[in-house]
């Protein structure tokens, strides 16, 4: 688990699932032009985490952008996979939060598992609170 998430967990919060960019990120134009340094930095610094209370995504190495949504504030998680993505296990994840929040992340490793783990945690979260949607 990355240092950002470690330092920003709240009381009784535990990491349930985390993922990163798929290894195919090393075969992009940006990666090739920087001799894979850009991809290496991006893959090692960005964090995609589901906890028992929140969805936390941190991107950026020097400048940082974070998305921290309570599980009940996520409206949907959409997964798009090409044929290559299905065969190799990567895809695009679109997160739609309440209001106007929408973020898209490409080349995420194991996107279907990411969505499944979110749904499992959301179900447990709502059952524990006694709220059913």
């Amino acid at each position: 688990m990355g240092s950002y998430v470690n330092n920003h967990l709240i009381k009784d919060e535990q990491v349930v699932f985390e993922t990163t960019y798929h290894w195919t990120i090393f075969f992009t134009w940006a990666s090739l032009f920087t001799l894979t340094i850009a991809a290496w930095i991006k893959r090692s610094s960005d964090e995609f985490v589901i906890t028992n209370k929140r969805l936390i995504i941190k991107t950026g190495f020097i400048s940082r952008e974070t998305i921290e949504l309570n599980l009940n504030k996520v409206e949907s998680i959409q997964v798009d996979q090409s044929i290559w993505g299905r065969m190799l296990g990567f895809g695009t994840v679109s997160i739609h939060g309440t209001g106007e929040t929408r973020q898209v992340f490409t080349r995420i490793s194991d996107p279907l598992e990411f969505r499944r783990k979110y749904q499992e945690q959301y179900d447990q979260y709502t059952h524990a609170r006694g709220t059913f949607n």
Side-chain angles (χ1 to χ4, degrees):
M1 175 175 27
S3 62
Y4 177 83
V5 172
N6 271 339
N7 294 331
H8 291 88
L9 292 175
I10 57 179
K11 183 179 180 192
D12 299 325
E13 187 173 28
Q14 301 166 357
V15 172
V16 174
F17 182 79
E18 71 177 302
T19 191
T20 188
Y21 294 105
H22 193 263
W23 57 264
T24 56
I25 196 169
F26 291 101
F27 298 101
T28 62
W29 287 112
S31 177
L32 295 175
F33 282 127
T34 62
L35 304 174
T36 71
I37 293 171
W40 186 259
I41 290 171
K42 188 171 185 168
R43 191 166 197 244
S44 63
S45 66
D46 293 3
E47 302 174 40
F48 302 89
V49 176
I50 296 170
T51 73
N52 59 330
K53 296 183 179 193
R54 298 182 290 169
L55 179 104
I56 304 170
I57 297 173
K58 190 270 295 185
T59 59
F61 176 64
I62 296 173
S63 64
R64 178 182 295 168
E65 182 178 344
T66 62
I67 301 165
E68 298 181 26
L69 293 169
N70 290 336
L71 294 176
N72 62 346
K73 298 297 181 187
V74 176
E75 288 183 356
S76 68
I77 296 179
Q78 179 182 344
V79 173
D80 295 315
Q81 286 184 297
S82 65
I83 292 171
W84 286 110
R86 288 185 65 200
M87 290 188 326
L88 298 174
F90 70 91
T92 298
V93 174
S94 301
I95 298 168
H96 304 267
T98 55
E100 296 295 317
T101 306
R102 180 174 185 263
Q103 295 288 322
V104 178
F105 304 96
T106 59
R107 294 184 185 259
I108 303 302
S109 185
D110 209 359
L112 295 174
E113 183 69 7
F114 182 83
R115 182 175 62 190
R116 186 178 70 77
K117 288 293 188 180
Y118 161 76
Q119 190 61 51
E120 287 175 0
Q121 287 309 302
Y122 176 76
D123 289 346
Q124 288 180 9
Y125 179 81
T126 56
H127 285 24
R129 295 199 177 277
T131 58
F132 305 99
N133 293 336

